[in-house]
Amino acid sequence: MRDAVIVPIAYLAPVSYYCRLLAYDDVRIEQWEHYIKQTYRNRCVIASESGPLSLSIPVEKVLPGTLVKEVRVSDHGNWRHMHWQALSTAYDRTPYFEFYADDFRPFYEKKYHFLFDYTEALRELVCHLLDISPSVSLTQSYMSQPEAEDCRMLYTPKAKTSDAHFSPCPYYQVFSERCGFLPNLSVVDLLFNMGPESVFVLRKSFRQDS
């Protein structure tokens, strides 16, 4: 176990994110940063028959300097229905989708007003399903140089730095024969494919000595 890490909110975050939640004694979720577009804060990547598929939550117009905790979810494009259809289509043949579907379906039926509340509620559900209990707290102010490992800019599809601690452990994926193994997808890919064994994959994918 390591000491402390600070991470952003994330929509059905990638596997590496949950590796850190499992590996650290003290996990701090950033709520005071300015919202950053085109990151995992409002998007996730799942597997489809043709390869990785990005799902983005539309948000209301964000003015410069808007805090992440103040960002509102938009109803544009009937996205809840579209996301649930995409998840169902991608994973209905996996070993555990049917087992977990009733846990996730309400998040695509109920309306959440704020992105922060939505992503955090999903994170709590995923931790429960993974059977992990990280010590999580919310930041009380924005710190440019926090006394914790700063991973706020790490979880983005366009991250300029790689995660030196993350070494993805291959696991069964339903489309692997067609697409090969796709590393670091949304944690739901791991859950739906591996179920209760997901936590073992997380442990094997994080290098403590890096």
Side-chain angles (χ1 to χ4, degrees):
M1 297 288 284
R2 294 168 180 265
D3 293 329
V5 64
I6 184 169
V7 295
I9 63 167
Y11 172 45
L12 296 177
V15 170
S16 59
Y17 186 99
Y18 283 89
C19 286
R20 274 195 158 74
L21 265 58
L22 179 61
Y24 283 74
D25 296 313
D26 179 2
V27 178
R28 305 169 191 175
I29 307 292
E30 178 61 73
Q31 65 173 336
W32 293 97
E33 68 178 358
H34 294 167
Y35 180 68
I36 303 172
K37 298 179 180 179
Q38 298 184 341
T39 69
Y40 290 128
R41 288 160 181 80
N42 73 318
R43 71 175 58 186
C44 68
V45 180
I46 64 172
S48 72
E49 288 186 324
S50 57
L53 174 65
S54 180
L55 302 177
S56 297
I57 300 174
V59 298
E60 300 290 352
K61 184 176 181 180
V62 178
L63 298 175
T66 299
L67 298 179
V68 68
K69 68 175 186 173
E70 297 173 343
V71 174
R72 290 181 174 270
V73 175
S74 171
D75 287 329
H76 179 73
N78 198 19
W79 70 269
R80 294 177 184 83
H81 174 74
M82 292 179 63
H83 283 206
W84 184 246
Q85 286 298 111
L87 288 166
S88 300
T89 300
Y91 295 112
D92 63 355
R93 287 180 284 169
T94 58
Y96 293 95
F97 178 76
E98 185 176 354
F99 186 77
Y100 294 126
D102 287 344
D103 293 301
F104 285 98
R105 187 180 291 107
F107 287 90
Y108 298 93
E109 297 172 342
K110 174 183 176 181
K111 290 185 179 181
Y112 281 76
H113 297 294
F114 291 95
L115 179 66
F116 190 94
D117 295 339
Y118 183 64
T119 57
E120 275 297 279
L122 272 171
R123 180 194 59 75
E124 291 175 358
L125 169 66
V126 171
C127 286
H128 171 70
L129 298 179
L130 289 170
D131 196 22
I132 64 175
S133 302
S135 177
V136 175
S137 61
L138 305 181
T139 58
Q140 299 303 304
S141 62
Y142 184 81
M143 300 179 65
S144 58
Q145 296 181 323
E147 294 180 355
E149 182 175 354
D150 189 352
C151 294
R152 289 173 292 190
M153 296 304 297
L154 185 61
Y155 297 104
T156 168
K158 299 180 180 179
K160 295 182 179 180
T161 58
S162 60
D163 187 344
H165 298 299
F166 181 63
S167 180
C169 173
Y171 58 88
Y172 169 80
Q173 292 177 326
V174 72
F175 297 125
S176 59
E177 289 189 5
R178 177 175 301 186
C179 304
F181 176 68
L182 301 175
N184 208 26
L185 296 177
S186 166
V187 69
V188 295
D189 183 83
L190 176 61
L191 267 174
F192 294 152
N193 282 298
M194 298 298 292
E197 295 183 23
S198 297
V199 68
F200 300 112
V201 176
L202 295 180
R203 289 185 179 130
K204 292 177 181 179
S205 298
F206 195 81
R207 299 183 300 193
Q208 299 279 8
D209 56 350
S210 295

